[in-house]
Amino acid sequence: MPGAGELRVLRRRIRSIKSTQKITRAMELIAASRISRARRAVEAARPYSQGITRVIRDLASEGEVASHPLIREHDVVRRVGVVVISSDRGLAGAYNTNVLRRSERLIKEERDAGREVALYAVGRKAETYFRYRGERPVRVWGGVTDRPSYDDAVKIAEELGRAYWNQDINRVWLGFTQFRSALTQVSTTRKIMPVDPRELAGGEAGFPAQFTFEPNPQALLEELIPRYVEHQLYAALLESSASEHASRQRAMKAATDNAGDILHDLTREANRARQAAITTEISEIVGGAEALAAE
C-alpha cells in the first residue's frame, strides 16, 4: 500500500492536473468563440467572390480573358511556387500535420516531374517544419493566420504575382485547409496561377452584352483579375483560420476530458492510500494499547 510520501506525490499530481485542466478548458472556450467569428468572416467574403467572378465572366464576352499575364500559361514550366498555409501556434490537433503532409506530397510530385520548387510559408509551423527537413522557404509570413485580413492576402498575392509575371516561377499552388463544418476540415491543394480561364470565361449564354464600359473591358479585366487572385488567397486564409480554431477546440476538449479521467483515477488512488494509512495508524494504536494492557 502507498505510504505517506506516496500520498503527498499523488496530491501534488492532482493539483497539477487540475491546473492543466483549467488551462485547456479556457483554451477550448477561446477557440469556440473564435470559430464563430471566423465562420462569419468566411460567409461575409463569399458575396464578393461571387460578384467579382460574375463581373469578370460578363466582361469576358467583350474581351479576351486568356491573354492576361496571370491567366496565360508559360511555355515552359521549370519552377513551381508552393504556398503552404499553417498556424503560428500549436495545440491544434492534426490541423498542421494534415496540411503540411499534403503539401509535402505535392512538392514531391513536382520534383519527381523534374521541376524546381519555391516554397512560401504562411505561419511559423510551416516554416519550422520545412526548415527541419532542409527546405529553405523563399518567404515567410507570420502573425497572419489567427485573424487574417484582406491586406495580408494583398501582400502575399503581390509577391506571387510579381514572381509569376517575371517568370521566376511558372506555376503557383496553394496548400490550405478547407473549412466544411466545426467537425470536418479537409487539407487540400489548389492551383491559383495561372488562373483557370474556364472559371472566368463566357458571360450569360444567349444574352449578348448590352453595356458600354468605361474604361474598355480589357482595361477592367487587367484590374479585376489580380483582385480575383487576391480574393482566392483571402478565402483560403479565412478557411484555414476557421479550421485552425475548430481543430484547437476539439483538441482542447479532448485534453480537458482526459484530464478529468486522470483526476478520477488519481483521486480514487489517493483515497485508497489515505484509507490504508488510516488503517495502519489504527492498527498501530490498537497494537500498542494491547501491549500496554498485557504488561
Short mmCIF file of all heavy atoms in Angstrom, two decimals, residues 55 72 79-80 103-104 106 131 142 169 180-181 184 193 200 206 221 260 274 276:
data_model
loop_
_atom_site.label_atom_id
_atom_site.label_comp_id
_atom_site.label_asym_id
_atom_site.label_seq_id
_atom_site.Cartn_x
_atom_site.Cartn_y
_atom_site.Cartn_z
N VAL A 55 -18.75 39.49 -62.61
CA VAL A 55 -18.36 40.65 -63.42
C VAL A 55 -17.32 40.25 -64.46
O VAL A 55 -17.39 40.65 -65.63
CB VAL A 55 -17.82 41.78 -62.51
CG1 VAL A 55 -17.19 42.87 -63.35
CG2 VAL A 55 -18.95 42.35 -61.67
N ARG A 72 -2.40 33.41 -68.72
CA ARG A 72 -1.67 32.76 -69.80
C ARG A 72 -0.64 31.78 -69.25
O ARG A 72 0.16 32.10 -68.38
CB ARG A 72 -0.98 33.81 -70.66
CG ARG A 72 -0.33 33.25 -71.91
CD ARG A 72 0.17 34.36 -72.82
NE ARG A 72 1.15 35.19 -72.15
CZ ARG A 72 0.96 36.46 -71.81
NH1 ARG A 72 -0.21 37.04 -72.06
NH2 ARG A 72 1.91 37.15 -71.20
N ARG A 79 9.92 25.96 -62.84
CA ARG A 79 9.96 26.26 -61.40
C ARG A 79 8.55 26.54 -60.89
O ARG A 79 7.82 27.34 -61.49
CB ARG A 79 10.86 27.47 -61.13
CG ARG A 79 11.27 27.64 -59.67
CD ARG A 79 12.46 28.59 -59.58
NE ARG A 79 13.02 28.63 -58.23
CZ ARG A 79 12.90 29.67 -57.40
NH1 ARG A 79 12.24 30.75 -57.80
NH2 ARG A 79 13.44 29.64 -56.20
N VAL A 80 8.18 25.88 -59.83
CA VAL A 80 6.82 25.94 -59.31
C VAL A 80 6.84 26.55 -57.90
O VAL A 80 7.68 26.19 -57.08
CB VAL A 80 6.20 24.53 -59.26
CG1 VAL A 80 4.82 24.57 -58.62
CG2 VAL A 80 6.11 23.96 -60.67
N SER A 103 0.94 19.11 -48.48
CA SER A 103 1.81 19.99 -49.27
C SER A 103 3.13 19.31 -49.59
O SER A 103 3.69 19.48 -50.68
CB SER A 103 2.06 21.30 -48.51
OG SER A 103 0.84 21.96 -48.24
N GLU A 104 3.63 18.52 -48.66
CA GLU A 104 4.89 17.80 -48.88
C GLU A 104 4.74 16.80 -50.02
O GLU A 104 5.65 16.63 -50.85
CB GLU A 104 5.31 17.10 -47.60
CG GLU A 104 6.77 16.71 -47.54
CD GLU A 104 7.18 16.23 -46.16
OE1 GLU A 104 6.34 15.62 -45.46
OE2 GLU A 104 8.34 16.45 -45.78
N LEU A 106 2.69 17.14 -52.55
CA LEU A 106 2.65 17.95 -53.77
C LEU A 106 4.06 18.34 -54.21
O LEU A 106 4.40 18.26 -55.40
CB LEU A 106 1.79 19.19 -53.54
CG LEU A 106 1.81 20.24 -54.65
CD1 LEU A 106 1.20 19.67 -55.94
CD2 LEU A 106 1.06 21.49 -54.22
N ARG A 131 11.99 23.79 -42.56
CA ARG A 131 13.41 24.05 -42.25
C ARG A 131 14.05 22.84 -41.58
O ARG A 131 15.21 22.52 -41.84
CB ARG A 131 13.53 25.28 -41.34
CG ARG A 131 13.37 26.61 -42.07
CD ARG A 131 13.78 27.78 -41.18
NE ARG A 131 13.51 29.05 -41.81
CZ ARG A 131 14.31 29.64 -42.70
NH1 ARG A 131 15.44 29.04 -43.06
NH2 ARG A 131 14.00 30.81 -43.21
N GLY A 142 4.43 35.63 -41.01
CA GLY A 142 3.98 35.23 -39.68
C GLY A 142 2.96 36.21 -39.13
O GLY A 142 2.81 37.34 -39.62
N ILE A 169 8.78 32.10 -61.26
CA ILE A 169 8.04 30.85 -61.07
C ILE A 169 7.01 30.76 -62.20
O ILE A 169 6.52 31.77 -62.70
CB ILE A 169 7.34 30.78 -59.69
CG1 ILE A 169 6.49 32.03 -59.44
CG2 ILE A 169 8.34 30.57 -58.58
CD1 ILE A 169 5.75 32.00 -58.12
N ARG A 180 -15.32 22.93 -43.66
CA ARG A 180 -16.65 22.47 -44.06
C ARG A 180 -17.65 22.55 -42.91
O ARG A 180 -18.81 22.87 -43.12
CB ARG A 180 -16.57 21.04 -44.59
CG ARG A 180 -15.73 20.94 -45.87
CD ARG A 180 -15.74 19.54 -46.45
NE ARG A 180 -14.94 19.47 -47.67
CZ ARG A 180 -14.71 18.35 -48.34
NH1 ARG A 180 -15.20 17.19 -47.90
NH2 ARG A 180 -13.97 18.38 -49.44
N SER A 181 -17.20 22.24 -41.72
CA SER A 181 -18.04 22.38 -40.53
C SER A 181 -17.11 22.37 -39.32
O SER A 181 -15.90 22.19 -39.45
CB SER A 181 -19.04 21.22 -40.45
OG SER A 181 -18.38 20.00 -40.14
N THR A 184 -15.54 18.98 -39.44
CA THR A 184 -14.88 18.49 -40.65
C THR A 184 -14.05 19.60 -41.30
O THR A 184 -14.59 20.63 -41.69
CB THR A 184 -15.92 17.98 -41.67
OG1 THR A 184 -16.77 17.03 -41.04
CG2 THR A 184 -15.22 17.35 -42.87
N MET A 193 -2.25 30.13 -59.88
CA MET A 193 -1.62 30.80 -61.02
C MET A 193 -0.97 29.75 -61.91
O MET A 193 -0.20 28.92 -61.38
CB MET A 193 -0.55 31.81 -60.56
CG MET A 193 -1.09 33.03 -59.86
SD MET A 193 0.24 34.18 -59.50
CE MET A 193 -0.51 35.17 -58.21
N LEU A 200 -13.60 31.65 -65.51
CA LEU A 200 -13.94 33.05 -65.75
C LEU A 200 -14.57 33.32 -67.10
O LEU A 200 -15.29 34.30 -67.27
CB LEU A 200 -12.67 33.92 -65.64
CG LEU A 200 -11.88 33.79 -64.33
CD1 LEU A 200 -10.60 34.58 -64.42
CD2 LEU A 200 -12.71 34.26 -63.17
N GLY A 206 -26.35 33.15 -74.49
CA GLY A 206 -27.55 33.55 -75.21
C GLY A 206 -27.96 34.99 -74.98
O GLY A 206 -28.94 35.45 -75.56
N LEU A 221 -10.52 44.15 -67.06
CA LEU A 221 -10.01 42.82 -66.76
C LEU A 221 -8.60 42.88 -66.18
O LEU A 221 -8.25 42.11 -65.29
CB LEU A 221 -10.03 41.95 -68.01
CG LEU A 221 -11.39 41.44 -68.47
CD1 LEU A 221 -11.27 40.77 -69.83
CD2 LEU A 221 -11.98 40.47 -67.46
N GLY A 260 -9.85 15.06 -16.84
CA GLY A 260 -10.90 14.63 -15.91
C GLY A 260 -10.82 13.15 -15.60
O GLY A 260 -10.99 12.74 -14.44
N ARG A 274 -5.07 6.95 1.42
CA ARG A 274 -5.41 7.58 2.70
C ARG A 274 -6.09 6.58 3.64
O ARG A 274 -5.80 6.52 4.84
CB ARG A 274 -6.33 8.77 2.44
CG ARG A 274 -6.74 9.54 3.68
CD ARG A 274 -7.43 10.83 3.27
NE ARG A 274 -7.95 11.51 4.46
CZ ARG A 274 -9.16 11.31 4.98
NH1 ARG A 274 -9.97 10.40 4.44
NH2 ARG A 274 -9.55 11.97 6.05
N ALA A 276 -5.70 3.36 3.59
CA ALA A 276 -4.68 2.40 4.02
C ALA A 276 -3.83 3.00 5.14
O ALA A 276 -3.48 2.30 6.12
CB ALA A 276 -3.80 2.02 2.83
#
